[in-house]
Amino acid sequence: MSTDSALYPASRLHTVAESVRAAGLGALLLTPGPDLRYMTGYDAKQLERLTCLAIPAYGVPFLLVPRLELKAAQASLASGLELETVAWGETESPFGIISGRLRGLESTGLSDRMWALHVLQFRAAFPEATQRLASTVLSPLRMRKTPAEVQALRAAGQAIDRVHARVPQWLKPGLTERQVGAKVAEAILAEGHATVDFVIVGSGPNAASPHHEVSDRVLMEGDVVVVDIGGTMPSGYCSDCTRTYAIGEPPADFTKYYEVLRLAQDTACESVRPGVSAESVDQAARNVISDAGYGEWFIHRTGHGIGLESHEDPYIVEGNSTELAPGMAFSVEPGIYPGRHGARIEDIVVCVDHGFERLNNATRELVIV
């Protein structure tokens, strides 16, 4: 079996059709985005012209594409599936074609990332049908990664680890965050990613802003620098890894809480095993940080799922009682952000039969450059 067919197996259409029936839906309607790629391997363009995979509870699924996108669809993995491809022309109504093929629907499941432009036109095409999120069917399936998906995430983790191994050479006083970020972005592509999804280089006080990206702030001796980076591999699967660096000797108060953070991240990872709740992993990290007196500075959830999206289910957060199971992959990324500086350590982990596997293995020691 090829890598592509293992990642995007033909049997998935049958599995999802069974889930559509079990959920009591009439059909799933999936437009370009991670759900469509999960089902077909087709990384379609999201355009005002409708591309839509229809998976009826009963009947043969079909892929509707604009005629000018037909060759791209035929060149994709979708062409190898038991799937009819239907092309529509510029003067035809794609919504009319779908409603004509799927008569009498009482409910539809729409891609979570579907544009409102298309959601409203589907409402008009199926006025009697209730609209639900496709994730009610797909999320439980997408959360449990197959061995091929885990291998794709492992390769993504190794690629982003290679980038982090190169980061210290660019953290030089006198360079701006933006200049460092540009070098990191080039390296993400050079190390095997197809696209750069995000680059965070937060130095000094910017390290205390978890979703800071880059700025024209100049790096200085004594700065702490949070580098959070990720991209999408040619497989479609994502990387995401954060490490914290220091330029020269870091402040003493930082060194103290960085050791707490390392312990919190290790403790949370060690808590991962089948049967425990997602929120218990969050609590494991939070307890260590709170007991050390830094609880008020841990201001976000501990993690998020990852796969064809860098953020997807399961979310590692208080209130999420989802039981972890083998194949679930997610970040473990506690942070402490007092204000003058901050720190975060992030690895992607996968729940396995015996506990967990880290997919990132760059050093978690504080790297002083």
Side-chain angles (χ1 to χ4, degrees), residues 15-298:
T15 300
V16 169
E18 291 175 359
S19 297
V20 172
R21 290 191 289 274
L25 287 171
L28 284 190
L29 300 172
L30 307 179
T31 49
D35 288 337
L36 177 61
R37 189 165 189 177
Y38 177 76
M39 294 306 308
T40 66
Y42 180 29
D43 187 19
K45 295 177 182 177
Q46 194 162 31
L47 305 167
E48 75 284 358
R49 295 181 176 94
L50 182 71
T51 292
C52 181
L53 172 66
I55 307 174
Y58 300 95
V60 179
F62 61 92
L63 178 64
L64 186 77
V65 299
R67 191 169 300 281
L68 78 167
E69 296 294 328
L70 179 60
K71 288 190 180 298
Q74 291 173 332
S76 78
L77 295 173
S79 64
L81 305 177
E82 295 178 19
L83 185 66
E84 181 185 3
T85 301
V86 180
W88 63 274
E90 295 282 52
T91 60
E92 296 178 279
S93 167
F95 299 92
I97 293 172
I98 292 175
S99 63
R101 284 173 163 253
L102 301 175
R103 296 184 184 278
L105 290 186
E106 296 180 358
S107 60
T108 57
L110 306 182
S111 296
D112 291 27
R113 302 287 183 267
M114 187 181 289
W115 286 353
L117 171 71
H118 295 152
V119 171
L120 295 178
Q121 290 181 86
F122 274 125
R123 179 172 291 171
F126 297 103
E128 304 302 319
T130 59
Q131 292 181 329
R132 291 166 56 188
L133 293 174
S135 58
T136 59
V137 169
L138 293 178
S139 182
L141 301 174
R142 286 182 54 189
M143 273 198 293
R144 298 284 300 272
K145 270 59 180 181
T146 64
E149 289 180 285
V150 172
Q151 180 54 37
L153 288 170
R154 189 178 290 117
Q158 291 167 350
I160 209 70
D161 282 354
R162 293 193 296 270
V163 179
H164 269 295
R166 298 172 61 184
V167 165
Q169 67 183 297
W170 302 314
L171 298 179
K172 305 297 184 185
L175 292 179
T176 67
E177 293 175 350
R178 196 177 309 280
Q179 289 171 319
V180 174
K183 293 178 183 295
V184 171
E186 289 176 3
I188 289 173
L189 296 176
E191 294 296 347
H193 293 79
T195 61
V196 178
D197 293 340
F198 54 89
V199 174
I200 294 173
V201 180
S203 63
N206 293 337
S209 176
H211 276 178
H212 176 80
E213 292 185 349
V214 296
S215 74
D216 292 321
R217 184 183 184 277
V218 176
L219 274 59
M220 299 183 292
E221 188 77 18
D223 272 351
V224 169
V225 187
V226 172
V227 178
D228 183 346
I229 53 178
T232 300
M233 298 290 281
S235 65
Y237 285 77
C238 299
S239 67
D240 186 2
C241 183
T242 308
R243 291 295 184 262
T244 301
Y245 303 86
I247 302 176
E249 193 63 30
D253 56 338
F254 168 83
T255 302
K256 182 178 179 182
Y257 73 70
Y258 187 82
E259 290 308 309
V260 172
L261 182 63
R262 279 187 59 207
L263 177 61
Q265 206 260 358
D266 281 341
T267 301
C269 288
E270 294 287 348
S271 75
V272 174
R273 60 185 181 276
V276 306
S277 66
E279 66 181 349
S280 72
V281 178
D282 177 86
Q283 197 60 54
R286 208 164 295 278
N287 285 346
V288 172
I289 292 172
S290 295
D291 289 350
Y294 299 102
E296 67 179 300
W297 305 119
F298 183 11

